[in-house]
Amino acid sequence: MNIAQIIAHRDAGVVTCRADHSVAEAVALLRARQIGAMPVVDETGAVQGIFSERDVIRCLDELGADALSAPVSDAMTSPPVTASPQMSEPEALGLMTMRRIRHLPVVENGRMIDFVSIGDLVKAHIDQIEQEASEMRNYIRSA
């Protein structure tokens, strides 16, 4: 299974922010949408970085209370680690494990088309295992 198959039936609409937003604005968006990270994109849709809960903690540690007024560009993780739609689910999981990250923008032709989390990939993996087990049980019953 590849990333394109995982994202094929999802609703479009990735929550994003801009590098010139304040950290406070970005934190409010994370909270309102109940998400842990979001891509930071420019006006063309190109991914400039990832803004996550970890970035908030690091920024607070470095800047103290001034962190909330800092631009997202000062806090985000950049350059972003990305995936292509053709990347396999095991490759993406391996990349996330190796880089110690939980989110990957899916980029095609320089533009982000989706955003996947480690949870999305693990769910797809479990679904695939369950489907294979069901097919095996059906095969055994029919024999």
Side-chain angles (χ1 to χ4, degrees):
M1 180 176 299
N2 64 24
I3 300 293
Q5 292 167 312
I6 293 169
I7 64 175
H9 303 289
R10 294 184 358 161
D11 293 334
V14 175
V15 177
T16 64
C17 70
R18 300 280 297 271
D20 59 351
H21 287 165
S22 71
V23 168
E25 290 171 311
V27 166
L29 190 53
L30 291 176
R31 182 175 182 272
R33 293 303 194 85
Q34 297 181 356
I35 55 177
M38 63 186 153
V40 180
V41 298
D42 65 16
E43 60 281 346
T44 69
V47 182
Q48 297 178 307
I50 305 294
F51 182 76
S52 71
E53 295 163 331
R54 288 179 187 173
D55 296 319
V56 174
I57 299 301
R58 190 183 70 250
C59 190
L60 283 168
D61 183 52
E62 291 172 4
L63 301 177
D66 292 337
L68 295 175
S69 60
V72 168
S73 59
D74 288 354
M76 69 184 185
T77 299
S78 183
V81 177
T82 64
S84 72
Q86 295 75 33
M87 182 179 277
S88 72
E89 170 256 327
E91 286 176 304
L93 282 172
L95 179 62
M96 291 170 127
T97 301
M98 181 179 69
R99 297 296 298 269
R100 300 180 56 90
I101 58 176
R102 298 176 301 184
H103 301 85
L104 285 174
V106 182
V107 176
E108 187 171 48
N109 299 323
R111 298 202 63 218
M112 184 182 66
I113 60 170
D114 212 321
F115 194 57
V116 294
S117 71
I118 199 162
D120 297 327
L121 300 177
V122 169
K123 181 186 180 313
H125 187 75
I126 290 170
D127 290 348
Q128 184 176 4
I129 290 170
E130 288 176 351
Q131 180 182 351
E132 290 170 1
S134 176
E135 289 171 3
M136 197 62 113
R137 284 190 294 272
N138 290 338
Y139 174 75
I140 291 168
R141 282 188 206 125
S142 68

